[in-house]
Amino acid sequence: MSTDRKAGKPILLQGNAAVTLGALDAGVQFFGGYPITPSTEIAEILAKELPKRGDKFIQMEDEIGSIAAVLGASIAGLKSMTATSGPGFSLMQENLGFGMQTEIPCVIVNVQRGGPSTGLPTSPAQGDIMQARWGTHGDHPVIALYPDSILECYELTIRAFNLSEKYRTPVILLMDEVLAHMRESVVLPPKDKLKIIHRIKPNVPPEWYKHYKRNPKYISPVASFGEGYRFHITGLTHDESGFPTQVPEEVNDMMDRLLRKITDNLDDIIQIEPFYMDDAEIAIFAAGVVARSAKEAIIQARKKGIKVGLIRPLTIWPFPDHDVENMLESTRAVIIAEMNQGQLINEVKRVTKYGQHSRFYRIQKYNGLVITPDEILRKIAEVA
Amino acid sequence: MKNIPQKVIHRYLRHDKKFPHVWCAGCGNGIILGDLLRAIYNLGLEKDDIAMVSGIGCSSRMPVYVDFNTLHTTHGRAIAFATGIKMAKPELKVIVITGDGDVSAIGGNHFIHAARRNINLTIIIVNNNIYGMTGGQCSPTTPIGKFATTAPYGSIEPNFDLCELAKCAGASFVARTTAFHTTEARQIFEKALQKKGCSVVEVISQCPVSYGKMNNISSAVKMLELQRDNTLPIAAYEKLPEEKRAGKIVRGILHDVEKPEFIDQYQKLVDSLSLQKQEKFDESKKENKSSKSEESKSQE
């Protein structure tokens, strides 16, 4: 598997390999994982690359241990990640919540496959969109990104690291199996053009340090274990020093902090691509590889004079409520195309105005095959 | 004013907001934590250099009370978190505090694999033979016939010998002591903390509130007396004739061997790879030079 990074020249790259290049360029220092199709190449490549750089790779005994080790390494100061697929992602959920509750930066790649259970290990599906949002228990915001090309696998991996370091939270990269195993020609940007974010370190003496210091931006500097700032981390609801609390005001403070650090920064976190939306009367809403099929269908439909466009979320969580609402304002119909039994459609319905439900159309495919441009084109013709 | 000498443990306790602690009267956790802090003091370890990691349960509440880098994780996962910390910062002395349910039921997988890797962690298991925090359910170390809220007719399952398990799985240092034998516990902790490799110390402890009450042991004192009477140092045990060994629990250092340690092995791998890289680099330099000189020759 080629992982040579030649900036400025086209290279043939697989989606999973692109993720590893993104991770290495973002400065990943620790990978803990467990083999699972269709994400395994990420572990295989990093098993080869990380020790060469003096960085850390470990194959853990299961996915629960993988994410635990990843969180542990991040607590000790390393940029850390894991990669998995549906069954492993399910196993990671409890500790994913631990990472959110305790504000530990890390990246979790979930290359989705057909489910539930063992499902279709080598076939694509978009069945984990809601799991990425609500898989772990309790109230919490989530950041999840969704690429649709090999270049974007690279770019969004870097962005996932940046967002996790900036907002002190685990960030999920959701991928389609097709994208993970597809090869595409990509031109990588030169390394010095990349914007890489590192967590902010405290500059106060240890006795002043509070691991979750109250702050109007809800984000505070973060020390690592072994740097002389001795502090406590617990999955229990905690106060600003990190110690368990049941005082209602302090509980509120912590819960608000977790929510507001995300919801106050939606403009920075949310990325969405409109495609031919300026004059669109019909909109398609799709993510990942489905959006690629949609683009092809739109080009065909436009040739026939049908004004159709695409809304593609690169940030799937937090859901781009306002952008979607605004873009759908002037359309008369929206087709939600997804490789599941209906997960995104309810989100799109939620953000559009009450009483306009007649204009929703759906393409839902969950037989292990990708939604094709033809299928979307047929639906467009039906709606137009 | 009288000059009150500072107790050793007070150097390590967090003084703000954390007390009173959550443990019941008669619990062994405080005694064991005291022994551990004295061992740390005797070894002269710096607070900044210690990471204490725990899972879920009564004993897993220990880290919150002590002034180290402390991490209270999810149920059963302390060892896996600790593995990440140790790999990231090998210079940290990583101590895992766990209970019998935490380490051998829900966390059994991480336990055997840490032992297999022989990763340099000090794993202290407080074994009270029951789930205390949730109110007295049976655990993998509840003996056959003993009672628990989820074994109301007496447990019918065989119990784990945690030390045998650790030894068989590959840990290079395995010891057992009790809450009663405080001096021995401190000495064993000192040895375990100095050992390079996966060191596992099982400390038999008492839960008078759940285990004691359900099994008709009248008090914490009685339970401590049982720890004294039912256990034997390994040397004494080995001298006992076979027929007298039944029901006796062995104490002391049960297993102490030298074998490759995981973090060391990883570093060796990293070093060998960077050496290869250097050699390759040197070779390609030589080749470049020679090919250049050939070129210049042919041009001549």
Side-chain angles (χ1 to χ4, degrees):
Chain A
M1 186 102 23
S2 167
T3 53
D4 289 341
R5 192 195 184 292
K6 291 174 202 136
K9 284 181 190 164
I11 48 172
L12 188 65
L13 203 57
Q14 188 212 47
N16 279 339
V19 168
T20 64
L21 283 185
L24 291 169
D25 282 355
V28 67
Q29 297 162 299
F30 184 94
F31 181 97
Y34 188 82
I36 186 167
T37 306
S39 78
T40 308
E41 290 89 351
I42 298 174
E44 287 173 339
I45 294 169
L46 291 175
K48 206 174 160 192
E49 289 304 314
L50 289 174
K52 280 198 237 167
R53 297 158 193 249
D55 291 320
K56 311 294 162 72
F57 173 92
I58 186 168
Q59 181 173 317
M60 290 297 286
E61 46 274 13
D62 55 29
E63 285 91 345
I64 303 173
S66 301
I67 181 135
V70 162
L71 292 169
S74 184
I75 288 167
L78 301 190
K79 280 194 177 179
S80 308
M81 77 175 296
T82 185
T84 188
S85 183
F89 194 55
S90 295
L91 286 175
M92 289 183 183
Q93 292 300 332
E94 186 194 10
N95 282 338
L96 185 57
F98 184 91
M100 289 166 183
Q101 168 86 323
T102 56
E103 305 190 38
I104 301 172
C106 64
V107 172
I108 297 112
V109 180
N110 174 9
V111 183
Q112 297 169 91
R113 65 193 225 186
S117 188
T118 313
L120 302 163
T122 56
S123 302
Q126 298 182 319
D128 303 351
I129 290 171
M130 281 298 157
Q131 192 194 15
R133 178 65 191 90
W134 295 112
T136 194
H137 59 279
D139 246 344
H140 58 279
V142 153
I143 302 178
L145 311 180
Y146 211 135
D148 87 331
S149 69
I150 305 305
L151 181 62
E152 236 174 57
C153 287
Y154 168 84
E155 290 171 342
L156 291 191
T157 302
I158 295 178
R159 191 164 141 77
F161 271 101
N162 283 347
L163 291 173
S164 80
E165 294 283 316
K166 187 170 178 182
Y167 296 108
R168 280 183 73 173
T169 185
V171 172
I172 298 161
L173 184 75
L174 274 182
M175 277 168 57
D176 296 318
E177 182 277 338
V178 175
L179 213 53
H181 285 154
M182 189 170 80
R183 283 171 170 80
E184 224 172 10
S185 175
V186 251
V187 178
L188 296 180
K191 262 190 187 173
D192 53 2
K193 287 280 185 300
L194 297 173
K195 189 185 167 208
I196 304 297
I197 297 174
H198 302 279
R199 61 193 79 169
I200 303 163
K201 291 283 174 185
N203 56 4
V204 295
E207 58 274 23
W208 296 6
Y209 179 69
K210 288 194 163 87
H211 197 54
Y212 307 96
K213 190 169 171 53
R214 267 200 209 96
N215 184 306
K217 287 181 172 171
Y218 301 99
I219 302 161
S220 54
V222 50
S224 302
F225 273 14
E227 292 180 339
Y229 295 89
R230 296 188 301 275
F231 54 91
H232 186 63
I233 297 178
T234 176
L236 289 163
T237 302
H238 42 264
D239 61 16
E240 63 174 342
S241 298
F243 294 115
T245 181
Q246 288 183 312
V247 178
E249 292 76 21
E250 290 179 340
V251 174
N252 243 342
D253 274 0
M254 193 212 78
M255 293 297 287
D256 282 346
R257 175 186 162 100
L258 293 184
L259 181 68
R260 294 285 298 275
K261 70 176 180 182
I262 306 297
T263 55
D264 282 9
N265 295 292
L266 292 179
D267 286 348
D268 182 46
I269 296 167
I270 286 175
Q271 269 189 336
I272 188 162
E273 182 200 16
F275 181 79
Y276 285 106
M277 278 305 294
D278 289 345
D279 62 344
E281 292 165 5
I282 301 166
I284 299 167
F285 188 87
V289 288
V290 181
R292 292 172 74 107
S293 293
K295 282 179 182 173
E296 180 58 31
I298 287 162
I299 291 165
Q300 299 296 330
R302 287 254 165 193
K303 283 178 187 162
K304 295 177 193 163
I306 304 170
K307 288 185 175 170
V308 56
L310 168 74
I311 304 171
R312 179 174 75 90
L314 283 77
T315 307
I316 199 121
W317 302 115
F319 196 75
D321 288 19
H322 295 294
D323 300 281
V324 174
E325 191 185 358
N326 291 340
M327 286 181 201
L328 290 181
E329 197 105 81
S330 54
T331 58
R332 62 181 170 83
V334 53
I335 300 165
I336 294 98
E338 48 188 329
M339 293 192 293
N340 56 46
Q341 296 181 324
Q343 300 195 12
L344 287 173
I345 188 166
N346 293 321
E347 290 302 303
V348 178
K349 279 184 177 175
R350 180 177 60 76
V351 301
T352 49
K353 288 196 181 69
Y354 178 76
Q356 300 176 326
H357 283 208
S358 58
R359 53 183 208 152
F360 289 101
Y361 298 86
R362 60 186 75 194
I363 302 173
Q364 287 163 4
K365 196 171 175 181
Y366 36 85
N367 61 358
L369 297 175
V370 176
I371 297 175
T372 61
D374 264 1
E375 285 168 307
I376 297 175
L377 198 56
R378 276 203 297 275
K379 185 63 89 176
I380 293 171
E382 190 185 305
V383 173
Chain B
M1 225 171 89
K2 219 175 158 187
N3 192 13
I4 304 165
Q6 197 193 28
K7 288 187 178 170
V8 164
I9 57 166
H10 291 158
R11 295 167 193 254
Y12 298 99
L13 296 178
R14 283 178 167 141
H15 299 275
D16 47 338
K17 205 182 165 179
K18 264 55 68 185
F19 290 89
H21 57 68
V22 296
W23 299 317
C24 308
C27 176
N29 282 330
I31 303 171
I32 296 162
L33 180 58
D35 296 338
L36 178 61
L37 294 179
R38 286 180 202 100
I40 286 168
Y41 173 77
N42 287 352
L43 294 176
L45 299 174
E46 292 290 329
K47 292 178 189 177
D48 283 337
D49 298 339
I50 297 173
M52 193 185 270
V53 187
S54 68
I56 295 290
C58 296
S59 54
S60 286
R61 290 297 186 100
M62 273 186 204
V64 75
Y65 304 119
V66 288
D67 188 17
F68 304 131
N69 302 284
T70 54
L71 173 63
H72 176 215
T73 72
T74 45
H75 199 16
R77 316 302 168 201
I79 291 172
F81 276 82
T83 300
I85 293 171
K86 187 68 189 175
M87 277 192 88
K89 284 229 167 86
E91 65 273 24
L92 285 174
K93 180 65 72 182
V94 183
I95 304 169
V96 174
I97 305 284
T98 179
D100 44 307
D102 197 50
V103 82
S104 69
I106 190 165
N109 204 18
H110 311 305
F111 180 50
I112 57 174
H113 286 278
R116 175 181 63 84
R117 289 184 186 106
N118 196 32
I119 183 169
N120 193 2
L121 302 174
T122 308
I123 301 170
I124 296 171
I125 308 168
V126 178
N127 181 4
N128 58 7
N129 308 106
I130 208 152
Y131 285 82
M133 183 148 276
T134 43
Q137 296 75 35
C138 63
S139 89
T141 63
T142 305
I144 286 188
K146 295 297 179 187
F147 294 91
T149 58
T150 47
Y153 310 111
S155 174
I156 56 168
E157 296 178 24
N159 55 314
F160 260 139
D161 179 332
L162 298 177
C163 289
E164 276 299 310
L165 181 62
K167 184 182 154 189
C168 293
S172 60
F173 182 96
V174 180
R176 185 187 285 121
T177 182
T178 80
F180 177 84
H181 299 89
T182 54
T183 309
E184 180 189 81
R186 176 179 52 71
Q187 287 165 346
I188 286 177
F189 288 151
E190 286 171 17
K191 293 226 168 71
L193 286 165
Q194 286 173 291
K195 179 78 186 179
K196 191 170 204 175
C198 182
S199 44
V200 175
V201 183
E202 178 191 0
V203 190
I204 295 169
S205 185
Q206 70 279 7
C207 175
V209 174
S210 290
Y211 190 88
K213 204 162 76 183
M214 268 180 289
N215 289 286
N216 288 325
I217 312 169
S218 54
S219 69
V221 174
K222 182 74 193 155
M223 293 186 89
L224 284 161
E225 284 170 358
L226 288 172
Q227 289 169 20
R228 178 194 62 196
D229 299 339
N230 288 342
T231 63
L232 270 179
I234 183 153
Y237 181 83
E238 277 166 356
K239 280 181 204 155
L240 273 189
E242 198 70 39
E243 63 273 16
K244 284 189 176 171
R245 287 182 178 181
K248 292 287 181 198
I249 297 165
V250 200
R251 291 193 333 263
I253 296 165
L254 310 178
H255 182 65
D256 186 3
V257 293
E258 294 304 319
K259 58 193 326 191
E261 189 273 329
F262 174 70
I263 302 291
D264 261 5
Q265 295 303 107
Y266 192 87
Q267 193 52 47
K268 275 183 192 161
L269 170 69
V270 168
D271 293 344
S272 74
L273 289 172
S274 74
L275 197 69
Q276 277 177 25
K277 215 169 148 189
Q278 188 59 40
E279 282 168 356
K280 256 189 186 171
F281 181 71
D282 293 343
E283 268 172 36
S284 66
K285 247 181 158 179
K286 270 183 206 165
E287 276 171 21
N288 275 348
K289 263 189 188 169
S290 58
S291 66
K292 265 182 192 168
S293 59
E294 272 167 29
E295 262 173 43
S296 56
K297 270 178 198 169
S298 64
Q299 275 172 3
E300 279 164 16

